[in-house]
Amino acid sequence: MPRSRTRKRRHREIKRVPRSRATLPEYDRGAVPEGLVTWRQLRDLNLSPGDNRGPDGKRGPVAVLRCAWCGYRPQYSCNHPTRGRLFRLDLAKPKRVPTLAQEQALDRAMAARQTCPKCKRRYYFCLPLRRFGCCLECHDGTPADPTTYTAAPATHSLAA
């Protein structure tokens, strides 16, 4: 009888950098000064980071929002994936609006991923075309809910 494999867990190497030597200023949650916002707050305001530059002159965040766990060890810099990036609100710019040609190109790309090559139905989700090559209804007969796709385009074979 084969033995079940136990999954090895990768332990992330902990790099403890003293908070005084951190490259960006760090703020705990609830103590962020006015004028600094996170990426999601920028997105909700329909803004992009624009010309935000850190202390080193490179584009990117100007400060770090420490994760909740780092509140228990204030002497070290936060290097967890849950930390937030803070941007200056006064340097943010409006989001770029895609052109009509860009939107059409995106729609064609999505149509290629959502359309079954056999029955020509366009679904509202991406199909497993790499695995099956078609929709599940064409592959194994699983009935598809009619609310999940649009009807195939009608093909006319009229002479006139």
Side-chain angles (χ1 to χ4, degrees):
M1 185 166 132
R3 225 170 84 197
S4 65
R5 279 187 157 171
T6 57
R7 190 173 190 176
K8 285 187 178 181
R9 293 185 70 188
R10 291 186 190 171
H11 293 287
R12 196 166 48 93
E13 182 180 328
I14 298 173
K15 293 179 258 176
R16 295 206 170 167
V17 178
R19 193 168 179 183
S20 60
R21 287 199 333 236
T23 58
L24 293 174
E26 297 184 358
Y27 298 101
D28 290 321
R29 295 178 186 274
V32 178
E34 288 288 324
L36 293 181
V37 292
T38 63
W39 185 269
R40 285 189 178 190
Q41 291 168 333
L42 279 176
R43 185 187 65 195
D44 292 341
L45 296 170
N46 283 332
L47 297 172
S48 67
D51 253 354
N52 275 282
R53 294 185 186 273
D56 54 357
K58 293 182 181 176
R59 282 186 146 182
V62 296
V64 172
L65 179 64
R66 292 166 55 95
C67 66
W69 190 63
C70 284
Y72 297 110
R73 23 179 235 130
Q75 69 274 19
Y76 293 115
S77 174
C78 179
N79 61 359
H80 297 105
T82 57
R83 69 180 183 268
R85 300 172 300 173
L86 296 172
F87 300 93
R88 285 180 48 189
L89 189 57
D90 58 341
L91 296 178
K93 294 181 177 178
K95 281 186 181 178
R96 295 186 325 185
V97 179
T99 64
L100 186 59
Q102 288 173 331
E103 287 186 8
Q104 287 173 344
L106 287 173
D107 185 54
R108 284 194 305 268
M110 287 306 294
R113 297 178 67 193
Q114 296 172 341
T115 305
C116 176
K118 291 185 179 176
C119 64
K120 304 293 186 218
R121 292 181 187 159
R122 182 168 177 180
Y123 287 83
Y124 295 116
F125 53 87
C126 293
L127 297 173
L129 295 177
R130 253 190 212 169
R131 181 180 288 172
F132 301 128
C134 57
C135 64
L136 289 177
E137 188 167 353
C138 294
H139 176 69
D140 61 3
T142 305
D145 184 15
T147 61
T148 61
Y149 61 85
T150 58
T155 56
H156 297 285
S157 57
L158 299 175

